[in-house]
Amino acid sequence: MKALALLGSTGSIGCNVLEVVRQFPDQFRIVGLSAGRNVELLAAQVREFEPECISVGAADAASALAALLPAHYRARIVTGTEGNCQIASLPSAEMVVSAVVGSVGLLPALAAIQAGKDLGLANKETLVMAGRLIMDAVRSHEVRLLPIDSEHSAIFQALEAGRREDVAKIILTASGGPFRTWDSRALEAAVPEQALAHPNWSMGRKISIDSATLMNKGLEVIEARWLFDVEPERIEVVVHPQSIVHSLVEYRDGSVVAQLGIPDMRIPIAYALSYPKRLELGLSRLGLAQCGGLSFEQPDHQRFPALRMAYEALAAGGVKPAVLNAANEVAVDAFLAKRIGFTQITTVVATALEATGQGDELDLQAILTADREARLAAERAIGAL
């Protein structure tokens, strides 16, 4: 049985990870769980999976969790970033799955790698903020980093069809989100409830907004650059509204290898957990004859400038991608709170990118400082709108 530590167990990805574990109790066991503030769901997960250690976001959440669990669990509860790092480096864990949302995933991911754990990564912000630093650590500690994002899992699988030196291009597919056909005036009036209504995927709130702005695809471009060691100019994005082709790899002989499947996150999760084996998940099969037409189109950088901004931050290098990510997190929270409009998300990010972003991409402290300064700059920009 493979012992797993799961960061972000109460979120959408985390719950799907536990669904896979539940389905294969003879192959996986949970030794550590972490969550933010959803203590009711976390308590139910703890009672079911009986982990050695549990982490929550803050002391008040720890007290609330302790009140919901048998007394013997109280000594097993830790908190905050330090608690997440403790879960990520549990001696009994063979693999850590990072399903947390946002920049909070960086330090626990680094702790897992430094502790010699394989890492299943659904937290794209880790590689956006510190891609070169993380991949250097992966190599030096000789661990495996296995992607869980559907697009990066698709690329990972398609790359097994050929040699890395024969790769001409990586092609990431984007659904286009709920606003793909909206004009600029309609986008200005978009409200959170509309942005959260993704046409194909059931996702958390933050990633749903990122999908609507196409920032999610921009973050995935940055992630792919580091994860697969491919230059940014060889990473292309196409909009594919049906979300059946999850991504593609083009080889230098003109062959294009794609990974297709139904839009269900349990498929890439199970592949990461069981790699190189594949598990019989009992899901509905992809019926090509029933899919209808599969269409592809170029992304519109005028209506959705976030994707262009991500490419620019990646080209600028240093800590600029960390600034992009931090400012976007603040702007998305402000939009969800109805403090700013939908199109103002990228306005806030652009302002923060102009205001800050100097530092060495291999200096962890510089990355964390840039993250902090970008959040302050984004809040100032929001206040000025």
Side-chain angles (χ1 to χ4, degrees):
M1 293 175 67
K2 183 179 289 186
L4 306 174
L6 173 58
L7 308 173
S9 66
T10 59
S12 174
I13 297 294
C15 287
N16 274 302
V17 171
L18 293 179
E19 279 292 324
V20 174
V21 172
R22 209 173 270 124
Q23 191 173 352
F24 298 95
D26 59 329
Q27 298 195 42
F28 308 109
R29 66 186 179 97
I30 297 293
V31 296
L33 290 173
S34 88
R37 304 193 64 85
N38 190 347
V39 294
E40 290 82 7
L41 178 54
L42 179 58
Q45 294 172 344
V46 169
R47 288 191 292 268
E48 179 180 0
F49 294 99
E50 301 181 339
E52 300 170 12
C53 191
I54 312 112
S55 179
V56 287
D60 60 337
S63 298
L65 178 63
L68 296 171
L69 294 173
H72 67 273
Y73 280 109
R74 290 173 188 166
R76 306 185 194 182
I77 300 173
V78 293
T79 61
T81 299
E82 184 178 334
N84 276 340
C85 290
Q86 189 171 331
I87 298 292
S89 53
L90 282 173
S92 58
E94 298 169 67
M95 182 177 190
V96 175
V97 178
S98 179
V100 295
V101 177
S103 60
V104 295
L106 173 57
L107 293 179
L110 195 55
I113 294 165
Q114 290 171 342
K117 314 296 182 184
D118 287 341
L119 181 63
L121 191 63
N123 173 261
K124 61 179 64 66
E125 292 86 356
T126 293
L127 287 177
V128 170
M129 293 177 68
R132 191 183 298 277
L133 181 70
I134 289 290
M135 296 312 296
D136 281 356
V138 166
R139 285 186 286 270
S140 64
H141 291 277
E142 298 182 338
V143 299
R144 294 189 300 189
L145 198 164
L146 298 162
I148 287 177
D149 272 347
S150 61
E151 295 84 357
H152 296 85
S153 177
I155 295 165
F156 181 69
Q157 294 176 60
L159 284 171
E160 295 190 337
R163 303 186 308 167
R164 291 297 180 99
E165 57 266 37
D166 291 333
V167 172
K169 184 164 57 176
I170 281 175
I171 305 168
L172 289 163
T173 56
S175 70
F179 300 147
R180 181 177 63 88
T181 61
W182 289 33
D183 62 28
S184 298
R185 182 172 296 181
L187 288 174
E188 291 177 2
V191 297
E193 292 77 13
Q194 294 168 316
L196 291 168
H198 195 280
N200 301 332
W201 296 93
S202 175
M203 305 184 293
R205 287 164 62 82
K206 196 266 183 181
I207 192 173
S208 295
I209 303 304
D210 284 348
S211 178
T213 62
L214 290 195
M215 181 63 83
N216 186 53
K217 208 52 50 179
L219 299 179
E220 288 178 1
V221 167
I222 300 173
E223 182 181 11
R225 185 269 176 271
W226 298 115
L227 187 58
F228 304 115
D229 193 23
V230 174
E231 297 84 358
E233 58 270 21
R234 294 199 291 136
I235 304 173
E236 181 183 336
V237 173
V238 296
V239 175
H240 169 53
Q242 295 80 23
S243 296
I244 296 297
V245 178
H246 296 302
S247 279
L248 315 91
V249 173
E250 179 183 309
Y251 290 92
R252 63 182 178 182
D253 63 356
S255 298
V256 179
V257 178
Q259 188 265 335
L260 286 71
I262 62 171
D264 192 307
M265 283 305 300
R266 286 172 291 181
I267 296 173
I269 288 168
Y271 191 58
L273 296 186
S274 63
Y275 180 80
K277 297 190 302 181
R278 293 182 184 267
L279 301 175
E280 173 53 70
L281 295 169
L283 301 175
S284 60
R285 301 294 176 168
L286 177 64
L288 289 174
Q290 286 73 49
C291 283
L294 300 180
S295 61
F296 302 88
E297 58 196 56
Q298 292 297 320
D300 187 332
H301 293 281
Q302 290 298 115
R303 287 183 300 134
F304 302 100
L307 180 56
R308 170 182 50 78
M309 293 165 64
Y311 272 105
E312 290 171 353
L314 181 55
V319 297
K320 280 292 187 184
V323 172
L324 174 90
N325 177 72
N328 180 64
E329 287 186 19
V330 172
V332 168
D333 283 346
F335 171 66
L336 287 169
K338 300 187 177 180
R339 295 171 59 205
I340 62 173
F342 179 76
T343 56
Q344 290 176 319
I345 293 173
T346 49
T347 301
V348 169
V349 175
T351 302
L353 281 166
E354 290 178 4
T356 187
Q358 300 301 313
D360 182 354
E361 63 189 343
L362 287 173
D363 183 340
L364 179 60
Q365 193 53 54
I367 293 166
L368 297 176
T369 298
D371 177 270
R372 183 169 59 253
E373 292 178 350
R375 292 172 191 278
L376 294 173
E379 284 292 354
R380 288 194 297 269
I382 291 165
L385 289 174

